[in-house]
Amino acid sequence: AQTVTQSQPEMSVQEAETVTLSCTYDTSESNYYLFWYKQPPSRQMILVIRQEAYKQQNATENRFSVNFQKAAKSFSLKISDSQLGDTAMYFCASPNAGNMLTFGGGTRLMVKP
Amino acid sequence: DSGVTQTPKHLITATGQRVTLRCSPRSGDLSVYWYQQSLDQGLQFLIQYYNGEERAKGNILERFSAQQFPDLHSELNLSSLELGDSALYFCASSKGGQGNTIYFGEGSWLTVV
């Protein structure tokens, strides 16, 4: 069974600064994927970034990047140059072989002006 | 816009009633997933369909049922509604294989009074 753990229920960051959200996971899959989703106040679930476990290079999408440490089963999300629009709930997630996502409990991020 | 369409966006109904939530997946996606998110809760996987067949079942109550039709749209039926069923119900879709990105609809807000 997959488990995904986010140990930071809430975080805050000043606008334009950098923040890192933590995620650890456990999986029995030999080849797997990891995702970060963002849920702003509108409650829509928006894909932020996707990482394939067999790729050593960390995924990057504009201001969003991950630090994927396979041996430690750690998948943190770094947000650079934080913007007010980044204020949201962030969920780490991993799919099983059937592509069913298991989500972490979420981290509520507040970007302060 | 994720390409996943859910209707209705909001509904209010009384305890004991039955409602149907509808979902149209992204063009080309064969897999449909249903998730439930209660207030301040994470996302709970309910059920997955792939090309018309049930693929996986999560924490779905017996009072709930779902199906995927030949045109690939899906419906989630919730019956004998209780106050605790009030939640945001997400439909999501993907091409189906592990690691394929799962795109979420905007959700259907259900309030049971």
Side-chain angles (χ1 to χ4, degrees):
Chain A
Q2 309 267 126
T3 59
V4 179
T5 303
Q6 294 178 248
S7 58
Q8 304 151 316
E10 292 187 2
M11 294 188 73
S12 64
V13 63
Q14 290 297 131
E15 198 175 4
E17 293 188 350
T18 295
V19 63
T20 299
L21 310 183
S22 301
C23 172
T24 58
Y25 63 93
D26 196 9
T27 179
S28 56
E29 305 290 339
S30 56
N31 186 26
Y32 54 93
Y33 302 77
L34 296 160
F35 298 89
W36 278 98
Y37 282 87
K38 166 185 176 181
Q39 188 176 39
S42 66
R43 302 298 291 269
Q44 186 169 2
M45 292 291 289
I46 302 166
L47 177 69
V48 175
I49 202 163
R50 173 178 180 267
Q51 173 79 42
E52 299 172 45
Y54 66 87
K55 287 190 175 179
Q56 293 185 345
Q57 187 173 5
N58 288 326
T60 299
E61 287 288 340
N62 301 315
R63 297 182 295 107
F64 298 87
S65 62
V66 299
N67 182 8
F68 175 49
Q69 298 185 8
K70 193 172 183 178
K73 294 187 176 178
S74 170
F75 182 59
S76 59
L77 175 70
K78 186 171 85 170
I79 306 174
S80 303
D81 185 24
S82 296
Q83 300 176 0
L84 297 178
D86 296 332
T87 291
M89 195 79 165
Y90 286 83
F91 291 97
C92 178
S94 178
N96 63 6
N99 214 33
M100 185 271 284
L101 285 172
T102 297
F103 286 90
T107 296
R108 190 179 304 278
L109 176 67
M110 172 72 72
V111 179
K112 298 179 178 178
Chain B
D1 183 6
S2 68
V4 180
T5 304
Q6 288 187 249
T7 58
K9 288 188 168 36
H10 300 270
L11 69 163
I12 301 173
T13 191
T15 54
Q17 295 299 306
R18 172 190 171 95
V19 298
T20 297
L21 309 181
R22 193 178 190 279
C23 170
S24 293
R26 282 163 46 98
S27 178
D29 284 357
L30 299 177
S31 232
V32 168
Y33 313 79
W34 287 97
Y35 285 85
Q36 179 193 54
Q37 186 178 37
S38 302
L39 192 63
D40 291 331
Q41 297 263 331
L43 288 99
Q44 300 294 321
F45 169 70
L46 296 178
I47 198 163
Q48 176 194 5
Y49 281 84
Y50 179 81
N51 202 20
E53 294 191 3
E54 184 182 301
R55 173 66 68 89
K57 229 172 186 178
N59 299 322
I60 187 167
L61 300 171
E62 287 191 8
R63 300 183 285 109
F64 296 179
S65 65
Q67 54 184 326
Q68 186 180 28
F69 295 88
D71 67 352
L72 301 178
H73 91 271
S74 178
E75 292 180 358
L76 178 67
N77 300 297
L78 314 174
S79 62
S80 302
L81 285 167
E82 302 174 359
L83 296 178
D85 297 327
S86 295
L88 181 57
Y89 291 85
F90 282 108
C91 172
S93 75
S94 78
K95 296 198 183 305
Q98 188 193 19
N100 281 302
T101 299
I102 297 174
Y103 295 92
F104 285 77
E106 293 185 358
S108 291
W109 278 100
L110 171 65
T111 302
V112 182
V113 298

